[in-house]
Amino acid sequence: MSPRRNRQRGGAKPTDRPGGDRFGLERTEEWGGEDWAVRHVGGGGAAKHYRCPGCDQEIPPGVPHVVAWPQHGDVDDRRHWHKACWNARDRRSARLQRSRNAPRY
C-alpha cells in the first residue's frame, strides 16, 4: 500500500497566491494619496455589527469583510468595508445625506 498524499501535485501553493487575499494577513495599499493598511477578516472573525462607509449598509456578524485604516493612523481610524465596496472605492462618489425638504443643488 502506498502512503497517502496530503498535497495535490502541481499548481500554486496557498502562500503563492498573488493579491494577498488570505484572511488575517495585513498588506499596504495606496488610496487618496496615502498608504492604507488592509486586512481581510473571515466570517468567523466578524463578531459585531459594522457600518460600511462605502455603501452605508450594515455588515452583520459572520460576514467576511475588509478592515482598512491609514498606515500612520490611530486605532479609531479603522473602517470595516464590504470587499466589493473596498474594491469600488474609486468609482463611488460621496453620498450626501439630505433631509426630505432640502434642495438638490
Side-chain angles (χ1 to χ4, degrees):
M1 188 182 269
S2 299
R4 190 176 99 197
R5 292 189 187 272
N6 290 331
R7 283 180 278 166
Q8 295 178 356
R9 291 184 180 183
K13 296 177 183 148
T15 56
D16 295 340
R17 288 183 0 195
D21 284 349
R22 302 223 18 225
F23 293 116
L25 295 180
E26 189 176 311
R27 68 172 191 255
T28 304
E29 293 184 21
E30 185 177 342
W31 178 52
E34 62 181 312
D35 290 333
W36 287 72
V38 179
R39 182 179 299 157
H40 291 267
V41 177
K48 293 176 18 181
H49 288 271
Y50 299 104
R51 177 74 55 182
C52 175
C55 65
D56 201 34
Q57 298 294 315
E58 187 176 274
I59 303 172
V63 174
H65 61 277
V66 175
V67 179
W69 64 95
Q71 187 72 32
H72 301 291
D74 194 9
V75 174
D76 296 332
D77 296 333
R78 289 185 300 189
R79 296 293 175 255
H80 296 255
W81 297 68
H82 293 106
K83 186 175 180 182
C85 295
W86 176 254
N87 292 336
R89 65 193 179 275
D90 292 328
R91 296 187 303 268
R92 294 180 184 264
S93 62
R95 292 186 179 241
L96 298 173
Q97 299 292 330
R98 297 183 181 97
S99 65
R100 279 189 166 192
N101 298 326
R104 295 213 169 246
Y105 51 90

